Amino acid sequence: MALTVVNNTASLNAQQNLGRASSALNTSLERLSTGLKVNRGADGPSALVISETQRAQIAGLKTALDNTNKAVSLVQTAEGALNEINSLLTKARSLALDSANSGVNDATALAANQAEITNILGSIDNIAATTKFGTKALLNGAATNGALATTQSGVVISGTLAATPPLTSYNTVTVTQQAVRAQTTGSGAGATIGAAGNLSVNGINIALAATDTIDQAVAKLNSSFSANSIKITADNVGGQIRFTATDFKTNVVIGAGTAATTSGAGLTAGTYARTAATVTYTNSLAATVSQSATATAGTNGNGGSDASAVALTGELAGATATLGLAAGSTINSVQFTNGTFVVGQNLQFQTGANSGETSLLSIGRTNSNFLGNNSTASSTFASLNAIDVTTSSNSTAAITVIDKAISDISTTRANLGAFQANSLESNARSLQATLENTTAAQSIIRDTDFASEIANFTRLQTQVQAGATVLGNANQTTQLVAQLLRG
């Protein structure tokens, strides 16, 4: 090898190898200190992608496992309450059996049994209304899937629906008669009214001239209605005066007025009433719970009721449905404004690590006016809350209804148990196994093998030390040139 003083090739080579060994040593130190052999993309691009995906999956599996365990707690909360309802029903059954023993019971004893049953039913309703997991109601029907439905074409369901019992997919609200505003049309077809005088509409007199055209008469009428806050409008329909109520409450009342003027407009004295709405509510799970509701009574200044309001009874007692037409619209809208009803919806649990991996649970209503429906004694008592044990025959019928209610609760408990055992607990075991295997796979890809890495670290330490010594020797080779020069 030639001896030179300008370029020390041996030193450069030693520096390069020492740098590589030092960089590898630093990487080894990082792996030992972090416990990961992939700390950045440069350490293994594909390994990083795979391990990050697995790390997200592991976090999702842990959360899904927690969610599943919380769902088990919710189911157990519901079943605990149902167990208490079962106990109350068993006690009510004993009281009904006692009342059926007519040979020894007098009216006082029967009344006492009825009072206790009434108290039991109140307790059942209270449990159904107050059993919650956090703030989520479980037994009042809010956890039952469904939404308010209608069989009337063009009917829009809107408004606030909040609470007990729910309106489910098994319930149908049918608009059997739409609300119609009051209206009447005259038959006069002349160019003018033809006779001066007063036209009486809803208690007010509007002065018309004999020479007033239909349009001029309509303008005077509307001006007077507005000034007197009369909820009626007049318009010209083919050369005839038409009166239409602006709401669903007001009737159109044509008074005697001036006979010639009334006759000239082609109007007949009398009251032209609005058509009240009729709504039928049907529960397909309980055929006996079917009510027809008509317009509620109310005053509107003309003795008429609100044609757009209907009150439902039975299971939906207290709800007010508002039916009406928007101005110029032919679409009836149905709006439940009472704040005691909800649209039921299945409880959804995120029991998997990925989107869409959910489990659904539906818990039926357990209030007394739903339990016991469709029993063989339905001709006597539609549901549990209607039972009466003050006579022997009623007590016998009540036993049948209570038995059906016990069956209803037992079925609900069985469904909850099946969901817990087969959907939740089984899923939890599967999640645990998947979590274990995914964690192991991620560990293989990303975790540092300390036995191997320490051996590598020791080797690199030796290389660095050796490289440093060699570099020192390479730097001393130029001294040989100096010795040659001294000769």
Side-chain angles (χ1 to χ4, degrees):
M1 180 180 68
L3 293 176
T4 64
V5 294
V6 176
N7 294 302
N8 190 340
T9 306
S11 176
L12 292 174
N13 185 266
Q15 288 177 45
Q16 181 182 17
N17 290 319
L18 179 58
R20 289 176 180 175
S22 296
S23 178
L25 181 63
N26 289 334
T27 300
S28 181
L29 280 169
E30 184 179 40
R31 290 173 176 174
L32 290 172
S33 62
T34 62
L36 300 174
K37 64 183 177 184
V38 179
N39 291 284
R40 58 181 60 82
D43 294 337
S46 62
L48 179 70
V49 171
I50 295 171
S51 64
E52 285 296 341
T53 302
Q54 288 178 329
R55 185 158 69 171
Q57 193 75 359
I58 289 169
L61 288 167
K62 290 179 179 178
T63 301
L65 193 56
D66 289 341
N67 290 346
T68 301
N69 290 331
K70 291 176 185 177
V72 170
S73 297
L74 180 146
V75 170
Q76 290 175 338
T77 299
E79 190 176 356
L82 292 173
N83 181 54
E84 183 58 31
I85 292 177
N86 252 144
S87 298
L88 290 170
L89 289 173
T90 299
K91 187 173 183 180
R93 190 177 191 278
S94 297
L95 291 169
L97 284 169
D98 182 73
S99 293
N101 189 26
S102 59
V104 297
N105 287 319
D106 56 17
T108 302
L110 294 174
N113 285 343
Q114 179 61 39
E116 189 168 357
I117 284 180
T118 300
N119 183 266
I120 287 173
L121 297 181
S123 296
I124 290 173
D125 287 338
N126 183 62
I127 292 172
T130 60
T131 300
K132 298 179 180 180
F133 188 80
T135 60
K136 187 172 291 294
L138 301 180
L139 303 181
N140 68 350
T144 303
N145 184 45
L148 187 62
T150 177
T151 60
Q152 178 71 35
S153 176
V155 173
V156 179
I157 305 296
S158 62
T160 301
L161 301 166
T164 309
L167 304 170
T168 74
S169 58
Y170 304 110
N171 299 301
T172 303
V173 174
T174 305
V175 181
T176 54
Q177 171 60 62
Q178 294 185 346
V180 179
R181 287 186 289 253
Q183 187 178 92
T184 183
T185 304
S187 60
T192 62
I193 295 299
N198 294 326
L199 186 61
S200 176
V201 182
N202 283 47
I204 65 167
N205 292 315
I206 301 96
L208 300 179
T211 57
D212 282 342
T213 64
I214 299 299
D215 286 338
Q216 289 172 332
V218 165
K220 289 182 178 181
L221 290 165
N222 283 327
S223 176
S224 183
F225 292 154
S226 176
N228 291 278
S229 299
I230 301 297
K231 294 182 178 180
I232 295 176
T233 60
D235 63 342
N236 182 346
V237 180
Q240 300 173 1
I241 297 176
R242 180 176 64 184
F243 296 102
T244 305
T246 58
D247 62 18
F248 294 88
K249 301 178 181 181
T250 304
N251 294 328
V252 177
V253 181
I254 305 298
T258 301
T261 301
T262 304
S263 175
L267 297 167
T268 302
T271 298
Y272 300 88
R274 78 291 175 280
T275 301
T278 303
V279 169
T280 300
Y281 163 74
T282 304
N283 184 323
S284 61
L285 292 185
T288 58
V289 184
S290 180
Q291 297 83 29
S292 177
T294 56
T296 56
T299 59
N300 56 28
N302 297 303
S305 62
D306 185 350
S308 65
V310 295
L312 300 180
T313 57
E315 195 175 4
L316 294 180
T320 300
T322 302
L323 292 84
L325 295 173
S329 171
T330 58
I331 300 177
N332 231 23
S333 82
V334 182
Q335 184 173 32
F336 281 84
T337 55
N338 185 290
T340 59
F341 293 87
V342 294
V343 174
Q345 185 173 5
N346 279 337
L347 296 174
Q348 179 173 298
F349 305 104
Q350 181 66 39
T351 53
N354 304 302
S355 175
E357 295 178 354
T358 60
S359 296
L360 299 177
L361 173 64
S362 178
I363 305 177
R365 288 172 284 187
T366 58
N367 45 298
S368 62
N369 66 339
F370 183 76
L371 295 175
N373 289 340
N374 290 339
S375 69
T376 56
S378 60
S379 59
T380 303
F381 304 119
S383 62
L384 184 66
N385 73 334
I387 61 173
D388 177 86
V389 295
T390 56
T391 66
S392 177
S393 60
N394 281 350
S395 298
T396 300
I399 293 170
T400 303
V401 175
I402 293 172
D403 285 342
K404 178 60 168 59
I406 291 174
S407 176
D408 292 340
I409 293 297
S410 298
T411 299
T412 301
R413 291 183 67 186
N415 291 337
L416 288 175
F419 182 77
Q420 178 179 334
N422 301 326
S423 296
L424 297 179
E425 293 177 349
S426 176
N427 181 68
R429 291 190 293 270
S430 176
L431 287 173
Q432 191 65 56
T434 303
L435 175 61
E436 180 182 347
N437 293 326
T438 305
T439 302
Q442 201 240 6
S443 176
I444 292 172
I445 294 173
R446 195 158 189 172
D447 289 356
T448 297
D449 181 350
F450 273 76
S452 174
E453 195 59 43
I454 287 175
N456 184 50
F457 175 72
T458 302
R459 176 181 62 80
L460 291 171
Q461 272 188 318
T462 303
Q463 283 184 331
V464 169
Q465 291 170 359
T469 300
V470 170
L471 179 59
N473 293 333
N475 289 335
Q476 291 176 0
T477 57
T478 57
Q479 295 177 3
L480 296 175
V481 176
Q483 291 176 7
L484 289 174
L485 292 172
R486 285 196 299 270

